Amino acid sequence: MAKKTYDLLFKLLLIGDSGVGKTCVLFRFSDDAFNTTFISTIGIDFKIKTVELQGKKIKLQIWDTAGQERFHTITTSYYRGAMGIMLVYDITNGKSFENISKWLRNIDEHANEDVERMLLGNKCDMDDKRVVPKGKGEQIAREHGIRFFETSAKANINIEKAFLTLAEDILRKSFLRCASEGDVYTIY
């Protein structure tokens, strides 16, 4: 039997409208690559990256969902096991921001109630085409008690920071849950 090369496995999910850059965000984080060719995700895809946080090797299994409505029934089934969900909109696309409330309802309906959520305003390198002010993203994040980052997969802005912050929040929550259940953990 193969030896396990990680301590914890976190399932993360990227959701948001089609074309907001979910796949580019994922590829920038997992492969440190950016592709200018837009190919719409069909259904669902995933990548794996192992990171080290607080002395633990954490395998991140990151699922990239299709944003189109026709894949909705397929993609919502992936919400259930997710420990963290990144909700992505495009700062140059007002409709993708308006749809944030719809995506948040989907999380409430289909994900575990203790799922960590994060809002990403992607394509912040395109400030000259911006239609969604940063303050609007910060406001909706505050209203829902979730973290917010503006990111750019192309310019590699806040991508790694966002993923590592989400993983740290999940790790903290899992330690707190174990502590409240009486399990003993030593955190170095």
Side-chain angles (χ1 to χ4, degrees):
M1 189 167 193
K3 184 182 177 294
K4 204 165 76 165
T5 58
Y6 59 92
D7 300 309
L8 300 162
L9 173 67
F10 292 171
K11 180 180 170 187
L12 308 180
L13 195 61
L14 287 163
I15 63 171
D17 284 6
S18 181
V20 297
K22 297 181 300 292
T23 301
C24 290
V25 165
L26 174 58
F27 273 85
R28 174 58 77 186
F29 179 67
S30 65
D31 300 348
D32 196 23
F34 179 79
N35 189 341
T36 55
T37 311
F38 174 70
I39 301 170
S40 194
T41 302
I42 307 293
I44 194 145
D45 196 5
F46 79 97
K47 287 272 195 183
I48 289 176
K49 181 168 180 171
T50 303
V51 297
E52 192 158 322
L53 292 173
Q54 298 177 21
K56 299 271 183 215
K57 277 195 177 209
I58 302 169
K59 183 187 272 193
L60 302 177
Q61 187 183 72
I62 309 159
W63 294 85
D64 177 21
T65 64
Q68 300 100 321
E69 190 63 39
R70 64 187 166 139
F71 295 114
H72 179 74
T73 52
I74 297 168
T75 57
T76 53
S77 65
Y78 285 85
Y79 285 48
R80 270 184 286 288
M83 300 164 88
I85 297 179
M86 288 181 157
L87 175 50
V88 186
Y89 69 91
D90 173 353
I91 69 153
T92 70
N93 177 336
K95 185 75 175 148
S96 73
F97 182 76
E98 291 167 23
N99 287 335
I100 293 297
S101 56
K102 175 192 83 162
W103 291 106
L104 285 165
R105 276 194 308 277
N106 280 344
I107 293 171
D108 290 343
E109 289 172 23
H110 302 288
N112 299 338
E113 65 181 44
D114 65 341
V115 69
E116 280 295 323
R117 300 169 301 161
M118 178 179 281
L119 182 63
L120 300 182
N122 196 34
K123 303 186 185 180
C124 71
D125 60 293
M126 299 173 68
D127 211 38
D128 57 324
K129 294 187 172 90
R130 176 188 291 272
V131 295
V132 182
K134 185 176 184 179
K136 278 191 157 190
E138 291 169 336
Q139 180 184 350
I140 200 164
R142 226 181 358 264
E143 288 169 6
H144 292 275
I146 59 179
R147 290 193 189 265
F148 171 73
F149 288 99
E150 280 203 341
T151 58
S152 168
K154 184 177 185 179
N156 198 10
I157 298 169
N158 284 336
I159 299 294
E160 186 162 352
K161 184 176 185 180
F163 277 97
L164 294 180
T165 299
L166 185 59
E168 284 174 357
D169 289 347
I170 295 167
L171 184 61
R172 188 176 312 106
K173 187 180 272 186
S174 62
F175 277 131
L176 290 173
R177 185 174 38 250
C178 290
S180 70
E181 292 170 0
D183 295 341
V184 178
Y185 277 90
T186 306
I187 301 174
Y188 300 96

